[in-house]
Amino acid sequence: MNKKGFENKIEGFSKISKEEKIKWIEKNYFNNVSNPILKNYWNNDDSLQKIHDEFTENTLSNFYLPLGVAPNFLIDNKDYTIPMVIEESSVIAAACKAAKFWRNKGGFKTSILNFKKTGQVHFIFKGDKQKLNIFFKNNKLKFYEDCKEISSNMKKRGGGILNIELLDKTHDIDNYFQINAVFDTVDSMGANFINSCLEQFASTLKNEINQCSDFTNSDYSLEIIMSILSNYVPECLVRAEVSCDLSEIDQTGGLSGKEYANKFIQAINIAKTQTSRAVTHNKGIMNGIDSVVIATGNDFRAIEAGVHAYAAKSGMYKSLTDACVKNNTFKFWIEIPLALGTVGGITNLHPLVKWSLELLKNPNAKELMKIVAVAGLAQNFGAVNSLITTGIQKGHMKMHLINILNSLNASEDEKTKLIDFFKNNIVSFSSVKNELEKLR
Ligand code: MEV
């Protein structure tokens, strides 16, 4: 007998058709009332819809997010229009503003500081540590050899396994060791490649230790816990920077160049020392980063996890950006870990991802890291610039106005009138509602 609240269990949901899934949802959650919304968001082109259906499981429909662009970015003396997928108002506007601001001051300069990814085989070994170390040294080549087939393609593209080492982690957990492996996955994010290599390392470890004459069965026990890449990528690091003479920022926000730079640096110092501010500061950076990462078909969860861990690498969560004034030059920069790919995954499948990459002139992974870091730096510049001058709400609420008007079902005519009215009035949900009611 079903208990209340457990009536909706279904076996084999994944096997029934999309139409049947929708019917089941309607029956069990919407009192059999059908709503056309899910089907309205299907693509008219069946083959295109099928691609989207197959990205994941139990697909019912598509979920739209706006794709916008930020033109006028000058990065390492090349022009870019950056695609951004984001639902939050003001983000793209801020990116556009920052791009324009820095364009005639030399633009953004970038460099790749490092380009390595890692993964670990986590295992428990009970036995003679010394013997394990010697075994690993003597059999290192076998680990590479057993991965030959998996890594042959990656090798042809210029990457592969860069190093493997045995790490003694017994001070953290009793009998716990890792095989730590370092990879270059060239233009792919490389998750599948890394995980396949790691699983092979795990089985090589098991097989070889079993056959090793230094160990008898009663000598040791080995348990592989798991083999998985790490999204902590502090060695897949990119730097982006802007700089200019103080005279070039004179009268920004009504401040002298020196006053502006000092106030800006104070804002950064606060984010470098106060976690409460650092989280919001970095969230603003991620507005720029995530929107380009999504537009280019990369895994924003992996990027987010890696970036925030990096921000806390000193033991305290801090700003990802920094600024200084030296010899009358204001400098503002970001150093950020970004393990991105421009091949593999959905990069060649999702039509809008393909379009976005084309818009960026089909960058390789390193070039994409640079562009994404710039998007983060530009976003942070936009936010801090507003915060230390006009305040954030001025720009924000103007952009948010359109969302409020849409949520109140304003007509196009009403929108035009109210956008004009709120050029000189303070936007809030109630003030917009009041003005709309007056119009009606
Ligand atoms: C809002 O999405 C992001 C900001 O809060 C970032 C910041 O405060 O630096 C404006």
Side-chain angles (χ1 to χ4, degrees), residues 147 150 191-201:
C147 272
I150 303 170
N192 282 330
F193 166 69
I194 294 177
N195 289 334
S196 298
C197 288
L198 292 169
E199 287 186 6
Q200 180 56 55
F201 292 153

Side-chain angles (χ1 to χ4, degrees), residues 88 91 277 280-285 287 380 383-384 387 392 396:
E88 185 176 332
V91 169
R277 172 58 197 148
T280 321
H281 181 93
N282 289 346
K283 186 275 181 187
I285 294 172
N287 280 343
N380 188 229
V384 174
L387 289 167
I392 207 76
H396 241 224

